[in-house]
């Protein structure tokens, strides 16, 4: 029997047009991502990069210039949607095998007072039982809810 784990979904309304909301999330990723706390190396990241193009990388860079991948851009439809491969294991290590990746999809929908930005992180079942624990972490207090608030506050 295949274990199913519900996706984590977070949504915020930002006071920006979709183009600007998309640019802030992607091109200006390092401006809102908390590099001191959300990194997978032993020391804080000096930079966090999301290359907004299909096949682009999603990674952190240390002060010394060493890079550590988090995943890749699978699809991009600027300024409506970006789909990312999250290639981190439940132990927070990079796995180059995309068959083991979860997905992070972010959509940008115009509303009367700005843009509704909705993030869905799904596919935790690829990791079996440890995937449920990963889902709890990214769905918890320090996970996507906090990150989307940081994004919103940067708008």
């Amino acid at each position: 029997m295949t274990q199913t784990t519900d996706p984590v979904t977070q949504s915020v309304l930002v006071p920006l047009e979709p183009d600007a909301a998309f640019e802030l999330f992607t091109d200006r990723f390092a401006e809102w991502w908390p590099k001191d706390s959300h990194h997978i190396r032993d020391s804080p990241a000096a930079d966090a990069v999301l290359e907004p193009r299909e096949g682009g990388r999603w990674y952190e860079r240390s002060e010394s210039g060493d890079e550590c991948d988090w995943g890749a851009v699978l699809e991009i439809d600027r300024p409506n949607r970006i789909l990312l491969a999250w290639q981190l294991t439940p132990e927070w290590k990079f796995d180059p095998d995309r068959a083991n990746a979860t997905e992070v999809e972010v959509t940008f929908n115009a509303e009367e007072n700005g843009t509704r930005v909705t993030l869905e992180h799904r596919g935790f079942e690829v990791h079996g039982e440890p995937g449920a624990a990963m889902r709890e972490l990214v769905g918890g207090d320090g996970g996507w809810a906090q990150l989307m608030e940081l994004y919103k506050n940067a708008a």
Side-chain angles (χ1 to χ4, degrees):
M1 184 168 157
T2 303
Q3 179 179 0
T4 304
T5 306
D6 292 335
V8 170
T9 303
Q10 293 295 325
S11 181
V12 294
L13 181 64
V14 296
L16 301 169
E17 294 296 318
D19 283 337
F22 190 95
E23 180 202 10
L24 176 60
F25 194 95
T26 59
D27 303 281
R28 297 169 45 205
F29 184 71
E31 291 181 26
W32 61 270
W33 188 266
K35 297 175 286 297
D36 58 335
S37 61
H38 286 68
H39 55 87
I40 61 172
R41 291 194 168 234
D42 293 335
S43 59
D47 200 8
V49 181
L50 175 56
E51 299 174 341
R53 58 180 171 72
E54 196 167 311
R57 294 172 56 217
W58 186 19
Y59 63 98
E60 66 186 64
R61 183 180 303 124
S62 71
E63 286 288 340
S64 66
D66 292 332
E67 295 177 350
C68 183
D69 285 348
W70 298 345
V73 178
L74 298 175
E75 297 175 17
I76 189 164
D77 176 18
R78 185 182 285 263
N80 304 306
R81 173 181 173 268
I82 187 166
L83 179 64
L84 307 166
W86 168 289
Q87 292 175 250
L88 301 181
T89 68
E91 296 77 33
W92 307 105
K93 304 292 182 200
F94 177 72
D95 182 347
D97 185 351
R98 286 215 186 136
N100 298 325
T102 58
E103 291 182 341
V104 177
E105 180 177 31
V106 187
T107 57
F108 303 82
N109 294 299
E111 290 191 4
E112 185 175 328
N113 296 317
T115 300
R116 173 69 52 190
V117 182
T118 303
L119 179 146
E120 181 180 274
H121 191 164
R122 60 182 177 250
F124 299 100
E125 55 274 3
V126 73
H127 297 298
E129 193 172 314
M134 176 185 249
R135 187 235 177 262
E136 290 306 309
L137 286 172
V138 301
D141 292 340
W144 287 119
Q146 175 193 13
L147 294 167
M148 292 301 284
E149 279 302 310
L150 291 170
Y151 164 76
K152 176 182 164 184
N153 293 338

